[in-house]
Amino acid sequence: LTVFPCGNVPVQRQSVWNDQIEEGRELVNGYLLSLHVPGVRVVDCDKVLGPGPIKGEYSADLLHLNARGYEMLTPQVVSEISAFGPEP
């Protein structure tokens, strides 16, 4: 999985939050998505959850998904796992 986009930053965290956090997330995700290794699959969470900030309907808080967020992500994860096919 790529790193989830963050939710809206609450007021109490805005003084320590900056654009480098999102830039770092994008850098890590870019690296993960560039991997082309046999047997490795990467699910792009942005394709499912949208680029940041994550929609409130999918977010439990700034950094965590709620049940609806996982419901949206699960089909993509299952699809990627299924692409490996049955074990011999």
Side-chain angles (χ1 to χ4, degrees):
L1 297 174
T2 58
V3 179
F4 303 148
C6 295
N8 291 319
V9 180
V11 173
Q12 66 268 28
R13 292 188 184 233
Q14 288 178 358
S15 64
V16 295
W17 201 264
N18 63 53
D19 293 338
Q20 289 179 333
I21 294 169
E22 178 61 17
E23 291 169 10
R25 185 188 80 84
E26 290 176 3
L27 183 67
V28 168
N29 287 349
Y31 172 74
L32 292 172
L33 293 168
S34 75
L35 293 175
H36 299 289
V37 179
V40 173
R41 298 275 193 181
V42 177
V43 175
D44 185 355
C45 294
D46 283 358
K47 285 187 177 180
V48 179
L49 302 171
I54 195 168
K55 296 177 185 172
E57 65 191 90
Y58 303 143
S59 177
D61 58 30
L62 176 65
L63 300 174
H64 301 95
L65 297 179
N66 61 18
R68 181 72 179 130
Y70 283 109
E71 286 173 16
M72 295 298 294
L73 196 56
T74 297
Q76 184 67 32
V77 172
V78 169
S79 174
E80 290 295 329
I81 292 170
S82 299
F84 282 110
E87 289 191 35

